[in-house]
Amino acid sequence: MSKIVELINVFALLSLLAVGGGTAVLPEMEHVTVERCHWVSDTQFAEIYSLGQLAPGPNMTCVALIGYEVSGVAGLLAVLVAFFFPACLLCYFASKVWDAAEGSPWRDAVQRGMAPIVIGLMLAGCYALGKTASYNPAKDWDVNLLTLGIGAAVAVILSLTRINPALTILSGGAAGFFLLG
Amino acid sequence: MSDATPRVSLGKLFRVFGLIGLTSFGGGIVAYLRRALVDKEKWLDEDGFMAALEIAQTLPGLNSTNMSVIVGRKLRGPAGALVATLGMILPGAVIVTALGFTYVALRHDPKVAVVLTGVAAAAVGLLVQVTLKIGWKQLIRPQDLLFVVVVFVLVGIFHVSLLVTLIAVAPLAIWVHRPRTEKEAA
């Protein structure tokens, strides 16, 4: 039971700190769930995030799987509610206030000021995932070369084409199967 | 024209958001939302959509669920917000749960492990590309780049708590962009 309360506390706070979208809390989530609470390993964290990219809908629904690892189905449901409900409730009331502030020049200031913070957080998220998923010192150099290569190939392909990103994730899995298996 | 909010049933609201939640593979949910809400159902015009998106992006929380709350509230009040948000979340939650059960059962299989290694490597590439795509403007403007680097170092390297970082950095970043009377360069 205390595990559930802990899960709710962590994910409710993360929910309210998700400025500029769910990806912005990725580095903090990785640090808390892997290094502080030891709920999942760094590899599991990266894999759970990646599985989330294969499901439709909001890309952070996968956080529920961390709850599942900790406390089974009850943990899964607790994390889903804790991660989505507080931010939705805040949005409901804040959007009413925001409507009232229509035309205030401070709205623009908030948006332009927060933009670089969100990008900094997203880069920290890239680093938090990449330090196990792309370059892992515990693995052989040829594995690391391949994982770095897959990441670079995906980034380049997505920059140059309009292919569905989920397909590039599946292709990465296929590359792992045929080249590492 | 934009004030004429159409009367929409809760069932219809759930179906439209549920369909987006079920079919929006590979991120980019905003594009799916625009197609459904503006082009197909005509519940919002272009300006109304952009106004809602602006709020959704600025408030904490996921853009997709914030959009569901805002548009659901606009169309049907509190019940509308609830129904639209559930529609958005539930299909993906069910699918990710199924994927997760499979993952937990199979992850120690060496064949599955190499697939997951490839999947995770590709996910990093996707995240880097998305970050650069939406962030290039901030990365080439020295003043913004400073904030990008400070936040990256604090949260990414030194693991300063996100709450502390936001309280310390956000007011400063907003103050830098504070409204001024004379026209400033963008």
Side-chain angles (χ1 to χ4, degrees):
Chain A
M1 195 61 208
S2 66
K3 277 265 171 67
I4 300 272
V5 175
E6 234 179 297
L7 281 170
I8 291 173
N9 286 340
V10 164
F11 283 95
L13 183 61
L14 286 172
S15 160
L16 293 174
L17 293 179
V19 292
T23 319
V25 285
L26 205 56
E28 172 96 344
M29 189 185 289
E30 195 261 359
H31 185 66
V32 172
T33 59
V34 175
E35 278 147 66
R36 195 184 308 155
C37 299
H38 304 289
W39 284 334
V40 287
S41 73
D42 50 3
T43 306
Q44 275 174 291
F45 185 86
E47 288 171 354
I48 286 173
Y49 174 78
S50 319
L51 287 177
Q53 306 308 304
L54 292 175
N59 67 345
M60 296 304 282
T61 315
C62 57
V63 298
L65 297 181
I66 298 175
Y68 182 70
E69 290 281 354
V70 175
S71 293
V73 175
L76 183 147
L77 293 174
V79 168
L80 266 187
V81 174
F83 190 68
F84 286 104
F85 188 67
C88 286
L89 201 63
L90 177 72
C91 178
Y92 183 84
F93 291 106
S95 65
K96 286 185 162 176
V97 177
W98 190 269
D99 282 348
E102 179 100 57
S104 162
W106 281 96
R107 284 173 49 153
D108 189 47
V110 170
Q111 272 166 349
R112 301 230 315 250
M114 292 308 286
I117 294 177
V118 172
I119 299 306
L121 291 173
M122 289 179 72
L123 284 176
C126 295
Y127 175 68
L129 286 181
K131 71 182 192 226
T132 37
S134 301
Y135 183 81
N136 188 340
K139 289 189 178 170
D140 291 337
W141 68 270
D142 54 336
V143 175
N144 283 323
L145 198 63
L146 185 73
T147 49
L148 283 168
I150 290 174
V154 167
V156 169
I157 289 167
L158 289 173
S159 303
L160 299 178
T161 68
R162 295 180 57 97
I163 187 176
N164 188 321
L167 290 177
T168 65
I169 305 289
L170 287 174
S171 308
F177 182 78
F178 289 112
L179 300 173
L180 293 174
Chain B
M1 191 60 182
S2 61
D3 288 336
T5 309
R7 179 80 183 162
V8 180
S9 79
L10 289 175
K12 174 81 176 168
L13 203 53
F14 184 79
R15 281 198 302 281
V16 167
F17 279 88
L19 191 64
I20 298 170
L22 183 65
T23 55
S24 54
F25 282 92
I29 270 189
V30 169
Y32 288 88
L33 279 165
R34 182 199 300 270
R35 207 174 307 144
L37 303 177
V38 180
D39 299 342
K40 189 148 166 273
E41 306 296 339
K42 303 194 192 313
W43 289 341
L44 296 174
D45 60 18
E46 194 67 32
D47 289 346
F49 184 84
M50 289 313 289
L53 185 61
E54 193 182 302
I55 310 170
Q57 289 176 331
T58 307
L59 290 173
L62 311 191
N63 295 340
S64 51
T65 50
N66 283 355
M67 280 298 279
S68 312
V69 170
I70 293 163
V71 176
R73 173 175 80 87
K74 189 173 155 67
L75 295 173
R76 283 303 303 266
L82 183 68
V83 161
T85 308
L86 285 177
M88 178 60 83
I89 296 172
L90 284 180
V94 169
I95 290 172
V96 95
T97 301
L99 278 172
F101 286 2
T102 318
Y103 164 73
V104 169
L106 298 180
R107 73 159 176 261
H108 297 297
D109 181 325
K111 281 212 175 69
V112 175
V114 292
V115 171
L116 289 170
T117 299
V119 162
V124 175
L126 166 61
L127 186 55
V128 169
Q129 193 266 337
V130 170
T131 306
L132 295 180
K133 188 176 149 200
I134 68 172
W136 67 271
K137 278 190 217 135
Q138 279 71 39
L139 293 169
I140 58 171
R141 200 182 296 146
Q143 189 188 54
D144 282 347
L145 183 61
L146 180 68
F147 283 105
V148 172
V149 172
V150 165
V151 169
F152 175 82
V153 170
L154 286 178
V155 175
I157 310 289
F158 292 112
H159 303 301
V160 175
S161 108
L162 182 51
L163 183 61
V164 172
T165 305
L166 288 177
I167 290 172
V169 181
L172 199 61
I174 293 167
W175 186 77
V176 164
H177 289 285
R178 70 194 175 282
R180 280 166 230 214
T181 37
E182 75 266 55
K183 199 172 158 56
E184 38 171 345

